[in-house]
Amino acid sequence: MGMSTARMYMDDGGEGSRPVPEEREEAASAMKRGRPPRPGESDFVTGEEEERLAPQRTKRKREASAAAAAAAEDLTLIDIVKHNGRLISHAVKRLVEDYESDPKSVIFQILTMLFEASGAKHDIAAKDLDMADLDDIVLKLVDLSRNGLVQDKYNSKRKDLKNFKENLVSFWDTLVLECQNGPLFDDILLQKIKDYVVALSCTPPRVYRQVASLIGLQLVTSFIFVAKTLSAQREITQRQLNAEKKKQSDGPAVESLNKRLSNAGVRRTSILALQSLYDVDANIASLGLFTERFYSRMIQLADDIDISVPVSAIGLIKQLLR
């Protein structure tokens, strides 16, 4: 590289040329030595500029999300699974939202996608799924295969279907996860899906069995994941509930007792009073709840620092053990 490359010049509006600032010379020299140029001031974003750009980025994300949702509205589920995996999440959210108001339509869309993913070139309508028996629908799909009306997407080598299996698995996983707080437990949506998946997995056409087996395996995997998640949440909620119940039932009484027993003389007097109560057999039954609640506190009194208290506490404990 010659001197003309090492020293760079800028056009000065036609009045000749002038040398570039020193950092440009340094950058050119660094490039010559094989090192990246040192970043200049213009390469850094200041805090003020970051704050200015943040709303723009948020707006672009919202616009991108809205565009994706709009695109998902215009495509069938099978088109999304075949070519637009990035829209699966939006499509599934839309299905779950629509399910509450129009469950039959959503079920039809999902089962239609299942049939088309299996390769069947069918003409099954929504009313057919309502009126016909499951076996009749499956037999119709098998007949389509016998007549050559099947397009095998599962084993296809076409470039536009290279993500088909991955997207198909993603769709069913996303559907189960999205349904975990509602439709998953209504005994309708997922039950109907499972019925058709099982039925197709037992049919003669090989591609039907392959697709149904893939979907069935993913459904089981997703169900297990949801079960573990909900189980963990239930355990946490149960612990919190138990702690709250204990706090409400024991809190004021235990706090009051602890305050009263903070003085050694009071502690010994309280123990003697309790011994008198436990001496009467007729009182034992009515004192059951009290004993259960404060038994651990009575045991602690046996280790009291005031010698008169442990002596009395041991006598009380002997009474409790009778």
Side-chain angles (χ1 to χ4, degrees), residues 37-81:
R38 185 166 50 189
E41 292 182 3
S42 61
D43 294 319
F44 296 96
V45 178
T46 63
E48 293 181 359
E49 190 170 0
E50 180 68 28
E51 292 180 3
R52 180 178 61 81
L53 293 174
Q56 298 177 11
R57 292 170 180 162
T58 303
K59 181 180 179 182
R60 284 197 295 270
K61 288 181 180 179
R62 286 199 302 265
E63 291 174 347
S65 179
E73 290 281 349
D74 297 333
L75 296 172
T76 63
L77 292 180
I78 191 62
D79 286 332
I80 292 174
V81 170

Side-chain angles (χ1 to χ4, degrees), residues 78-95:
I78 191 62
D79 286 332
I80 292 174
V81 170
K82 284 163 59 178
H83 308 300
N84 298 276
R86 62 189 177 82
L87 299 179
I88 287 176
S89 177
H90 294 282
V92 170
K93 287 181 183 296
R94 182 199 66 196
L95 289 172

Side-chain angles (χ1 to χ4, degrees), residues 237-266:
T237 303
Q238 188 63 51
R239 286 199 299 269
Q240 292 174 340
L241 180 61
N242 292 341
E244 189 63 29
K245 284 182 177 179
K246 190 175 188 305
K247 185 189 301 182
Q248 291 177 1
S249 61
D250 292 353
V254 172
E255 183 179 358
S256 175
L257 183 63
N258 286 337
K259 286 182 178 178
R260 291 174 181 237
L261 297 180
S262 60
N263 180 277
V266 173

Side-chain angles (χ1 to χ4, degrees), residues 2 7 12 17 33 40 51 65 98 133 137 139 152 179 188 205 213 227 235 238 247 256 277 280 293 297 305 320:
R7 289 194 60 83
D12 194 26
S17 301
R33 294 193 297 272
E51 292 180 3
S65 179
D98 293 345
D133 186 70
I137 297 294
L139 287 174
D152 187 350
C179 289
I188 299 175
S213 298
E235 289 179 4
Q238 188 63 51
K247 185 189 301 182
S256 175
L277 287 173
V280 181
R293 185 174 297 177
R297 184 69 180 96
I305 58 175
L320 296 176

Side-chain angles (χ1 to χ4, degrees), residues 152-162 165:
D152 187 350
K153 304 176 186 68
Y154 184 87
N155 299 295
S156 176
K157 302 300 182 182
R158 286 167 43 186
K159 289 185 177 180
D160 62 326
L161 293 175
K162 66 179 181 179
K165 293 180 186 178

Side-chain angles (χ1 to χ4, degrees), residues 5 9 31 74 80 95 120 122 125 164-165 172 186 192 231 243 256 264 317 322:
T5 305
Y9 294 89
M31 291 175 64
D74 297 333
I80 292 174
L95 289 172
H122 69 92
F164 174 73
K165 293 180 186 178
W172 294 103
D186 72 349
K192 188 170 284 289
S231 177
S256 175
I317 294 170
R322 285 188 307 168

Side-chain angles (χ1 to χ4, degrees), residues 134 183-184 186-196:
L134 179 147
L184 183 62
D186 72 349
D187 292 329
I188 299 175
L189 175 62
L190 270 299
Q191 185 59 52
K192 188 170 284 289
I193 290 171
K194 287 187 289 183
D195 289 344
Y196 274 97

